Amino acid sequence: MNRAELSHRLNARIEAGASSFAVMLVRVQRLQEFRLVHGYEASDAVGRAACERIRELLRPQDELDQVAENEFIVLLPGLMNPGHAMLAATRAVRAFETPLLFAQHAVMTPVAVGVALFPEHGNDATTLLRRAEIALRDAKRLSERCALYSPGTERAMVPYEWLHDALRTNRLEAHFEPILDLRRNAVCGYESLARWHDPDGGPIRPDVFIRLAEDTGLIAELTRWSLNATFRHAAAIRSSEQRLRFSVNISPRVFGQRDLVQQITGALAVWDMPPDAVTLEVTESALMEDPLTSIAMLHTLRDAGLAISIDDFGAGYSSLAYLKQLPATELKIDRSFVADMRHDLRSARVVRAIIDLGHQLDLQVVAEGVEDAETLEVLRALGCDRAQGYHIGRSTPASFLLDRVAPA
Ligand code: C2E
Ligand code: CA
Ligand code: CA
């Protein structure tokens, strides 16, 4: 069953005067990784085993559909209250804490579950499915791995056409945030951050449009834009300050692209940027969604001479076993720990532990989100290598920076 058919059925149910029901979206993790190791047939078999495992949890009146290799949607009719829907979601998460058995293999495939309720969270299939998806994203960040849609967490929605158009007409802008070398006490480079000011919609937050790009496939174009915009300005700035390094955020959604390495090395060549002046930042949580693909891709990029930073480190649920295998050069401590370290002893201890861990693994450690002098001094005392954040400097349009570094 595809999504269109499912939407149709859902809408028909609503039009027929359905009473309350829940839409539960279950996404099975690590299937991609399994497919890479064991092939398509094996991952299909695991998908079928996952489907069976979900079916075992359901009541006769519940309806289960597999809508993608790793994705299932369950309609739960006649629920008395949201608590019952969450009970079903919790049971699904628990059920996958025991490995699936496939041929000789026991496969651990954790799931994340998002739930939206009719009529509370939407009156049509599209809204309900989208909100179940939003809940699932929230769930991924929680240790319970399941969540009910909560209206406050919905991000502003931007039409696809706007972003498509902004990319086509080159209306996004690269801003650079300074990074301080704590030993030299001097700016040693910049992180490139995308900014978008839509003529009708005003400023649109990067996490909103990056997500949109990831969901719609526009991320390939956004990445191409980001690499070129960053290197273009970086090359110009470096012509007067050759020691400066530049960091670019890369979404792991583009790791599947065959020509990614070529695209990056091609953009470096066009702007005459040395690869060793560039760091690619990839978030920890995204890396862990599909560690094997990520590790392979990062090795290729590292071999091409680029540095690799693990962004938002500490915020995701990561596996130290994988961390050891990642060809990273840098850990970037998630800013939630840095922000709390002045007031919260535990956060300060986490920061200290990450710095030590990074150094044990021969990685440089960067703290982001430094908002005051005191935090900066503690980080320096703890041996942190670099820092960035509002206290050091806000991001500014790359073109302004160029005027400052290299006055015409
Ligand atoms: P990130 O890579 O973790 O970027 C750091 C974010 O923290 C930026 O938010 C930055 O403006 C903000 N920030 C910097 N200093 C401070 C501080 O002292 N306090 C606080 N509270 N925040 C601080 P921004 O620009 O909104 O970017 C959000 C995310 O969007 C980035 O998180 C990054 O993951 C993504 N992103 C931004 N530009 C791009 C891009 O060109 N490509 C891709 N793939 N992702 C991008
Ligand atoms: Ca970053
Ligand atoms: Ca970050």
Side-chain angles (χ1 to χ4, degrees):
M1 157 98 41
N2 62 33
R3 276 175 179 273
E5 286 165 3
L6 178 72
S7 291
H8 188 71
R9 215 176 69 217
L10 258 174
N11 282 330
R13 178 186 279 269
I14 293 169
E15 279 156 28
S19 58
S20 60
F21 62 85
V23 176
M24 178 165 95
L25 172 63
V26 182
R27 188 166 295 149
V28 182
Q29 322 262 285
R30 307 232 156 135
L31 266 193
Q32 262 181 315
E33 177 189 334
F34 188 78
R35 166 156 42 78
L36 276 178
V37 179
H38 299 286
Y40 274 100
E41 262 178 47
S43 74
D44 283 352
V46 174
R48 282 194 299 276
C51 188
E52 273 321 300
R53 182 152 297 179
I54 298 171
R55 199 183 300 283
E56 285 163 16
L57 302 169
L58 303 180
R59 307 164 302 168
Q61 65 269 42
D62 299 335
E63 295 174 24
L64 168 65
D65 289 294
Q66 181 165 11
V67 289
E69 183 198 19
N70 61 339
E71 224 170 78
F72 301 87
I73 290 175
V74 187
L75 290 190
L76 303 159
L79 294 173
M80 302 305 284
N81 60 47
H84 286 172
M86 291 318 289
L87 206 61
T90 312
R91 285 177 52 190
V93 172
R94 293 264 164 75
F96 283 85
E97 284 168 2
T98 318
L100 291 173
L101 296 177
F102 156 73
Q104 257 55 290
H105 311 284
V107 196
M108 273 313 285
T109 50
V111 296
V113 182
V115 178
L117 303 175
F118 170 81
E120 291 91 325
H121 300 149
N123 282 321
D124 61 88
T126 311
T127 311
L128 286 166
L129 291 171
R130 202 181 68 214
R131 293 187 163 169
E133 174 79 42
I134 291 167
L136 187 136
R137 285 204 177 141
D138 293 338
K140 282 188 174 177
R141 288 196 296 268
L142 304 171
S143 54
E144 300 87 62
R145 315 287 294 159
C146 59
L148 183 65
Y149 170 72
S150 147
T153 63
E154 185 161 14
R155 293 157 200 275
M157 290 290 167
V158 188
Y160 167 90
E161 288 73 24
W162 288 15
L163 181 57
H164 186 254
D165 202 46
L167 282 164
R168 199 176 45 80
T169 54
N170 199 20
R171 272 192 281 112
L172 261 54
E173 211 183 348
H175 283 214
F176 284 178
E177 180 178 306
I179 304 173
L180 188 73
D181 179 320
L182 290 178
R183 264 177 218 97
R184 290 196 293 118
N185 202 27
V187 170
C188 59
Y190 295 89
E191 175 177 0
S192 170
L193 294 165
R195 293 288 176 263
W196 176 20
H197 195 287
D198 186 86
D200 301 320
I204 298 168
R205 293 207 338 246
D207 47 350
V208 172
F209 67 80
I210 302 288
R211 276 279 170 80
L212 172 68
E214 287 178 342
D215 290 350
T216 55
L218 282 176
I219 192 69
E221 270 179 271
L222 191 140
T223 306
R224 195 173 306 121
W225 167 82
S226 169
L227 290 166
N228 282 288
T230 306
F231 297 163
R232 176 162 71 93
H233 290 112
I237 294 169
R238 274 178 46 91
S239 61
S240 45
E241 275 275 353
Q242 274 157 28
R243 284 213 286 183
L244 292 174
R245 305 184 47 81
F246 291 83
S247 299
V248 191
N249 292 287
I250 296 282
S251 163
R253 296 291 142 78
V254 296
F255 279 8
Q257 260 171 252
R258 280 172 196 280
D259 64 344
L260 179 68
V261 178
Q262 250 175 336
Q263 211 185 93
I264 295 175
T265 50
L268 287 167
V270 165
W271 301 108
D272 203 16
M273 273 292 283
D276 60 7
V278 175
T279 303
L280 301 177
E281 297 193 3
V282 194
T283 61
E284 178 206 18
S285 52
L287 282 174
M288 293 306 157
E289 272 183 27
D290 191 355
L292 291 186
T293 313
S294 306
I295 290 171
M297 181 49 91
L298 292 184
H299 270 293
T300 319
L301 291 166
R302 187 75 197 100
D303 290 345
L306 293 113
I308 310 287
S309 176
I310 304 183
D311 203 350
D312 300 347
F313 188 77
Y317 83 113
S318 74
S319 152
L320 290 178
Y322 282 122
L323 179 65
K324 209 176 57 184
Q325 294 177 42
L326 288 173
T329 50
E330 176 182 294
L331 284 188
K332 194 176 259 198
I333 311 172
D334 189 65
R335 66 172 186 271
S336 59
F337 299 113
V338 178
D340 292 343
M341 59 187 276
R342 261 192 337 147
H343 308 291
D344 173 25
L345 190 62
R346 288 173 68 91
S347 290
R349 286 186 178 150
V350 171
V351 169
R352 177 196 296 249
I354 295 176
I355 294 171
D356 291 346
L357 173 71
H359 288 162
Q360 289 297 325
L361 293 172
D362 293 325
L363 304 172
Q364 296 278 303
V365 182
V366 186
E368 65 176 358
V370 177
E371 294 186 353
D372 54 78
E374 201 182 324
T375 304
L376 187 66
E377 285 325 307
V378 177
L379 287 164
R380 206 192 298 272
L382 291 175
C384 191
D385 302 289
R386 292 193 282 276
Q388 56 186 111
Y390 296 163
H391 176 69
I392 290 143
R394 298 216 176 213
S395 60
T396 43
S399 48
F400 287 14
L401 210 66
L402 186 58
D403 295 342
R404 222 181 299 154
V405 179

